[in-house]
Amino acid sequence: MGHYRMTNSVKPFRCVMQIVLSVTVLLGMGSALASEGPENELPQVIIDTSEGAIEVTLRPDIAPDTVENFITYAKNGFYEGTLFHRVIPGFMIQGGGFDQDMQQKQTRSPVRNEAKPTAKNLRGTIAMARTSSPDSATSQFFINLTDNDFLNAGVRGPGYAVFGKVTGGMGVVDAIAGKKTIRTQGMADVPQEPVIIRSVSVRQTDAMTE
């Protein structure tokens, strides 16, 4: 194909296209910033474990009672010295209810199940553990190691309430999942080497102090 000269009719068209592209880029940037705003205001917690720290961003917009319950336990120091007592590779890691002697701690009253079909148990999400009764969750939580669709509301019943997502330290989660497990004191899938939750600290945000 030979070279050609830009005509006067083409030049205005090129200018218009440049303006359209510039506006599109700016709108895209504005949209991205708008989506980041609310996320930056969401409460975050740091789960400090014997294997490292896990950062979790909580979602009070989809599970307000569950988040409030979890934060209350965290601020009261309830989780200090508890274990990740149930670890199943390819499924989830569960903790927040047993001390280092494998004794279950006394908890507050249960919270209602806030599981929703739109809040799915995807890899890296954190959800509440419970018994067969839907509204029985107290302090125990689990982190999904994979997309566990069968735990979602409406798939096999009321589902398990997702209330946040790991936003840092997923490698720590995977390291915990890789621990060798044993059966002890009538419980299966217990890490042979205890995985201790040293603390769960809450990062204050503007949304929480209003």
Side-chain angles (χ1 to χ4, degrees), residues 3-198:
H3 296 286
Y4 64 91
R5 184 187 298 269
M6 181 79 72
T7 64
N8 290 335
S9 62
V10 173
K11 287 180 179 178
F13 176 77
R14 182 179 179 184
C15 293
V16 170
M17 288 302 298
Q18 287 176 338
I19 293 171
V20 170
L21 287 171
S22 298
V23 172
T24 302
V25 170
L26 289 172
L27 287 174
M29 290 173 62
S31 176
L33 290 173
S35 65
E36 287 178 3
E39 183 176 346
N40 291 340
E41 296 176 355
L42 294 172
Q44 292 182 327
V45 297
I46 301 297
I47 305 174
D48 183 28
T49 80
S50 53
E51 296 297 313
I54 305 166
E55 178 190 86
V56 177
T57 298
L58 304 178
R59 296 295 303 271
D61 53 322
I62 62 174
D65 292 350
T66 305
V67 169
E68 182 181 6
N69 176 69
F70 183 79
I71 287 177
T72 299
Y73 277 114
K75 287 185 173 181
N76 289 344
F78 178 92
Y79 292 120
E80 294 178 10
T82 59
L83 302 172
F84 274 103
H85 64 274
R86 187 177 179 222
V87 170
I88 305 177
F91 180 30
M92 58 92 222
I93 63 173
Q94 180 176 333
F98 288 83
D99 63 24
Q100 295 179 53
D101 295 322
M102 289 298 292
Q103 298 299 309
Q104 192 163 5
K105 296 186 68 173
Q106 177 117 22
T107 62
R108 293 155 34 91
S109 298
V111 293
R112 68 187 178 96
N113 187 355
E114 295 181 299
K116 298 176 176 64
T118 52
K120 301 182 183 299
N121 283 270
L122 304 175
R123 171 173 164 79
T125 56
I126 185 171
M128 293 303 295
R130 60 171 176 80
T131 67
S132 57
S133 175
D135 301 317
S136 60
T138 53
S139 67
Q140 293 187 43
F141 59 89
F142 63 91
I143 299 174
N144 288 290
L145 299 173
T146 189
D147 295 355
N148 291 312
D149 295 338
F150 69 98
L151 299 180
N152 296 335
V155 176
R156 294 186 183 176
Y160 291 76
V162 169
F163 63 99
K165 184 177 182 180
V166 174
T167 47
M170 196 62 195
V172 175
V173 175
D174 289 332
I176 294 172
K179 291 291 184 182
K180 181 179 180 181
T181 61
I182 58 174
R183 185 175 184 86
T184 181
Q185 299 188 38
M187 294 179 60
D189 308 308
V190 180
Q192 185 175 31
E193 177 188 352
V195 180
I196 302 167
I197 298 174
R198 294 170 175 161

